Amino acid sequence: MSDVLETPASVTARSLRRSGRSPMPLRVEGLTLTLEGTLVLNDIDLALADDGVTAILGPNGAGKSLLLRCLHGLVTPTRGTILWHHEGRDHAPDLAIRKAQALVAQKPVLLRRSVLANLKFVAGLRRPRPSTDDLMQALREVRLEHLARQNARTLSGGEQQRLALARALLHDPRVLLLDEPSANLDPASTLLIETAIRAARAAGTKVLLITHDMAQARRLADDVVFLHKGRIVEHTSAAAFFDRPSSAEAEAYVKGDILL
Ligand SMILES: Nc1ncnc2c1ncn2[C@@H]1O[C@H](COP(=O)(O)OP(=O)(O)OP(=O)(O)O)[C@@H](O)[C@H]1O
């Protein structure tokens, strides 16, 4: 089983955390998922600190997205336990957990309304309710303010991803789960997303980040979970993972070799 990692970034984030937000560390034991007779997640044990950025890495089909969706409660495992510690007790990924978290999917689903209306919908659920000025500021941070009146479904792929991130951040989530948030983005937009991730982390938000961009993982991650064929092969600090991976699979992946 992996250990909860304590990193300098996690200490900084903790010291910066807004008061009144309860920490949300994670413990997973024996998580197994079988879909249509195929074992896609295989006996996963994992413990994560309640802050910092955890990168979830691994080749196509390794099980990264399904793991993220299980952790957020969108997919029910066949076996095993997932426990988020929240407000003094352990929770399976229930409604309380989903409300305290935000997941940005690989292909975000946006409302068939204007860009601004997509944010207003989320703002209506928040107390205190953010003002239209706050929402325009949120759009400015992902450089979408000039598209505020456009139908969100007509945005480009990269613009949709930026809007989805702005919408997720509006929830002020305790944990932000990101499934390839910059997969369609140009370099400038990738930088914007990374700046937003750093700001969220500095404010005490725990970030789980799936990415295939090794340079991005090096830039952002405090620790790395490396998955292969539905198993966690390594969970270690990002520095250790990139400098001296302990498994042949991780070494090959970092070098860019195809893993079968
Ligand atoms: N409903 C399903 N039935 C059977 N197998 C499935 C189902 N959904 C996903 N899988 C399989 O589960 C495995 C893990 O899928 P997952 O989407 O988690 O991979 P991933 O690591 O996120 O990959 P990628 O990097 O390509 O996004 C894949 O081999 C996929 O084909």
Side-chain angles (χ1 to χ4, degrees), residues 5 7 218 221-224 234-247 250-251 254:
L5 294 174
T7 63
R218 278 179 195 264
D222 296 295
D223 58 310
V224 171
E234 265 185 71
H235 178 204
T236 184
S237 72
F241 182 81
F242 289 113
D243 293 347
R244 40 180 197 291
S246 63
S247 62
E251 192 175 352
V254 170

Side-chain angles (χ1 to χ4, degrees), residues 33-41 56-69 106 179-180 210-212 227-230 253:
L33 178 66
T34 303
L35 291 176
E36 295 170 31
T38 306
L39 185 61
V40 289
L41 293 175
I56 302 176
L57 307 181
N60 291 141
K64 304 177 297 296
S65 296
L66 286 170
L67 174 61
L68 209 67
R69 294 171 72 76
Q106 241 175 49
D179 195 345
E180 297 191 46
I210 296 179
T211 180
H212 284 291
L227 273 176
H228 185 224
K229 295 184 177 170
Y253 186 73

Side-chain angles (χ1 to χ4, degrees), residues 99-164:
K99 281 172 109 171
Q101 303 184 341
L103 181 139
V104 179
Q106 241 175 49
K107 293 184 186 138
V109 180
L110 299 168
L111 300 175
R112 202 184 300 278
R113 300 182 192 171
S114 75
V115 166
L116 184 61
N118 268 265
L119 293 193
K120 278 190 172 157
F121 180 78
V122 171
L125 308 173
R126 294 285 320 279
R127 295 292 175 272
R129 193 180 173 136
S131 66
T132 301
D133 281 353
D134 293 336
L135 303 185
M136 288 308 291
Q137 178 57 29
L139 288 180
R140 213 165 288 126
E141 280 166 20
V142 292
R143 305 267 163 83
L144 287 177
E145 72 273 29
H146 60 296
L147 300 175
R149 307 278 159 212
Q150 186 168 323
N151 186 317
R153 295 270 179 99
T154 65
L155 295 176
S156 74
E159 288 163 351
Q160 291 199 16
Q161 279 182 301
R162 275 149 53 200
L163 177 58

Side-chain angles (χ1 to χ4, degrees), residues 204-215:
T205 297
K206 168 77 190 173
V207 181
L208 301 187
L209 168 71
I210 296 179
T211 180
H212 284 291
D213 180 341
M214 288 302 100

